[in-house]
Amino acid sequence: MASRVLSLRIDAELWDRINDHAARRGMSAQDYVVRTLIRDDFDERFKTAVEETDRFYAGAARPGQEPPAGPGPAARDPAARRARSQGRPQTRPSAGIR
């Protein structure tokens, strides 16, 4: 993975706090800052993905409209789609048989 250089100017008080946090975790200040940024970036990407998923399903869940078929064999099975559109529950042939 390629890396880039980021130079920051921060006040001494913040630098001391960063060093303290990093020392408590046995890390360098650079590693602490990078891990903090990675964690924050993950949180932002996760939040965005959840919001996009909510918008997708909210748009598909209008009354009288069937939600989009998800991945998997049931989504590709025309008989299952017909059964869902006719309001019948979908049951696997082997359901309840042992």
Side-chain angles (χ1 to χ4, degrees):
M1 172 169 57
S3 65
R4 304 287 188 265
V5 174
L6 173 64
S7 178
L8 300 172
R9 184 178 302 269
I10 58 175
D11 65 27
E13 194 174 304
L14 176 58
W15 177 248
D16 292 340
R17 287 197 315 267
I18 288 171
N19 272 324
D20 290 343
H21 292 303
R24 278 188 238 136
R25 291 166 177 78
M27 305 167 73
S28 69
Q30 177 179 332
D31 289 342
Y32 176 79
V33 170
V34 168
R35 285 182 186 236
T36 301
L37 291 171
I38 289 169
R39 185 175 55 241
D40 187 59
D41 177 61
F42 173 82
D43 292 346
E44 286 296 319
R45 288 183 293 130
F46 184 80
K47 179 182 171 190
T48 300
V50 168
E51 289 170 351
E52 288 175 4
T53 301
D54 287 346
R55 278 194 304 272
F56 176 78
Y57 283 107
R62 294 187 184 105
Q65 183 179 7
E66 180 180 335
R76 294 186 296 269
D77 181 12
R81 281 197 302 264
R82 272 194 307 279
R84 268 196 317 268
S85 68
Q86 296 170 359
R88 295 189 321 237
Q90 178 185 354
T91 309
R92 294 187 315 270
S94 62
I97 301 173
R98 293 181 192 244

